[in-house]
Amino acid sequence: MEPEVITLLSKRELEKMRRAGRLAAELLNHLEPMVKPGVSTLELNDEAEHWTQAHGAKSAPLGYGPTDYPFPKSICTSVNEVVCHGIPNPRQILKAGDIINIDVTPIIDGYHGDTSRTFYVGKPSPVAKKLVEVTAECLRRGIAAVKPGGRIGDIGAAIQAYAEGQGFSVVRDFVGHGVHRIFHAAPQIPHYGQPGKGKKLRKGMVFTIEPMINEGSWEVELQSDGWTALTADRKLSAQFEHTVAVTEDGVEILTLAPVTVTV
Ligand code: MF3
Ligand code: CO
Ligand code: CO
């Protein structure tokens, strides 16, 4: 159940969120070169789990959720028509032309860093490329709408206007969320909506923005495993996610990795 209160993080707590966010981004960077035809989604999972443990962190997804069907793996791997919460599987082998969202959430020192990106496996089809580029731009525009004194509805409105303007649709059934010591906390952040509506954004709020954008209609279907969500029309879906903090005068992206160069 989502707690009603929206936690405002202190400077010290924000510093811990920065550490968790950076680790999450570095984990995606670590996995990215493995995304090639022939790799299984379970191999991606197992490398993520190993890397996470080696960095003194825990994988939040592992065992998360209802006690009768907890999420069974350490990351979510959502391929092509899978919208989100795809379960890594040894029989699922990536092939050229696929798109795959990898969603990671390491916990370090009690704090969660939640981020995902959609990667191409080999060369994408023109529509897959457009969908992935539009979805990345949706996340950028959603983030750009965040500032203290603004409203939660500003974020979804910016995303929806751009996605629909490009001929795609916005998933309704899954939303961004507050994230700190708690994986899924208040507030909910819809990726559709109206500007000026919803709760006011305040300095110290930390939440995810994680638009899922569909090639066809926005309706999703849940598979019988209780987790895997796929597009009802079986067309493509893409997603990007960052964890962000509302600052004094704008927004800080917490799930970025420092750029490293070799000289
Ligand atoms: N990381 C996902 C999110 O962005 C949640 C995954 S829950 C899991 O909120 F149990 F499926 F891992
Ligand atoms: Co996530
Ligand atoms: Co999330």
Side-chain angles (χ1 to χ4, degrees), residues 179-247:
V179 59
H180 30 79
R181 278 189 173 280
I182 299 167
F183 192 176
H184 292 104
Q188 297 198 155
I189 311 288
H191 306 106
Y192 56 91
Q194 290 170 265
K197 297 283 170 92
K199 292 210 175 75
K200 199 175 263 186
L201 300 172
R202 293 178 197 282
K203 178 185 167 189
M205 284 185 184
V206 176
F207 50 81
T208 71
I209 305 177
E210 48 181 297
M212 285 141 277
I213 305 299
N214 291 355
E215 175 193 356
S217 87
W218 56 265
E219 280 94 350
V220 307
E221 232 176 74
L222 199 61
Q223 276 191 340
S224 56
D225 59 24
W227 286 104
T228 311
L230 52 169
T231 56
D233 59 15
R234 302 300 189 267
K235 292 187 177 182
L236 295 175
S237 185
Q239 181 178 26
F240 286 82
E241 173 175 30
H242 272 310
T243 299
V244 306
V246 183
T247 63

Side-chain angles (χ1 to χ4, degrees), residues 28-48 94 102 121:
L28 283 184
N29 285 356
H30 178 72
L31 296 175
E32 181 168 16
M34 286 180 72
V35 178
K36 293 267 158 59
V39 78
S40 75
T41 52
L42 188 73
E43 289 175 281
L44 295 168
N45 177 84
D46 291 354
E47 182 57 29
L94 298 183
I102 303 181
V121 184

